[in-house]
């Protein structure tokens, strides 16, 4: 048990238990890392195991890119599923490699960093004609 030892109002030594909060971390990516054949009009998302501070979800902390090009899109936090969606403004290019980044500047509702360094997954879009 983790707690704080202090005196109660009668001056007696008392141990007051502390509630430990599990660290916030990424629990799921969609698409999965190294997935291929991803639809060109998919929304990309990442799920966390606890609530995220929405003020830390910006174009600088959640990114989608291809090569050196940043793919512009809309970031949407879904509190009901603890997920962040990245919805590209335009369809993704077919048969192309994309990198989806979550930077170390994303924080949970307690202000804690989620990661020591940015996380990235890579996926390949498929051919929409097949």
């Amino acid at each position: 048990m983790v707690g704080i030892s202090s005196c109660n109002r009668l001056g007696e030594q008392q141990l007051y238990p502390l509630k430990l909060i599990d660290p916030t971390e990424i629990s799921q990516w969609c698409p999965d890392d190294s997935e291929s054949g991803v639809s060109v009009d998919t929304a990309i998302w990442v799920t966390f195991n606890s609530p995220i501070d929405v003020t830390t979800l910006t174009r600088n902390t959640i990114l989608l890119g291809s090569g050196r090009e940043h793919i512009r899109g809309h970031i949407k936090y879904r509190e009901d599923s603890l997920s962040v969606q990245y919805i590209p403004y335009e369809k993704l290019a077919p048969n192309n490699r994309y990198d989806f980044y979550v930077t170390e500047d994303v924080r949970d509702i307690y202000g804690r960093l989620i990661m020591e360094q940015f996380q990235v997954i890579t996926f390949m879009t498929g051919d929409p004609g097949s």
Side-chain angles (χ1 to χ4, degrees), residues 53-124:
D53 177 355
V54 294
T55 64
T56 65
L57 301 174
T58 69
R59 292 182 305 191
N60 296 321
T61 62
I62 305 290
L63 304 150
L64 179 65
S66 177
R68 294 184 181 263
E69 179 185 4
H70 174 74
I71 309 302
R72 295 183 52 217
H74 175 70
I75 299 167
K76 180 178 181 181
Y77 180 60
R78 298 185 51 120
E79 191 171 1
D80 59 333
S81 62
L82 304 176
S83 62
V84 177
Q85 284 185 316
Y86 192 92
I87 306 162
Y89 290 142
E90 298 178 12
K91 286 184 179 186
L92 301 177
N95 303 310
N96 202 23
R97 177 187 161 193
Y98 289 92
D99 299 312
F100 182 49
Y101 299 90
V102 177
T103 74
E104 64 273 13
D105 295 323
V106 175
R107 295 179 181 264
D108 68 13
I109 59 171
Y110 304 106
R112 299 177 305 174
L113 292 175
I114 295 171
M115 302 160 290
E116 295 291 322
Q117 60 186 24
F118 72 88
Q119 300 288 315
V120 62
I121 60 142
T122 299
F123 63 92
M124 289 285 295

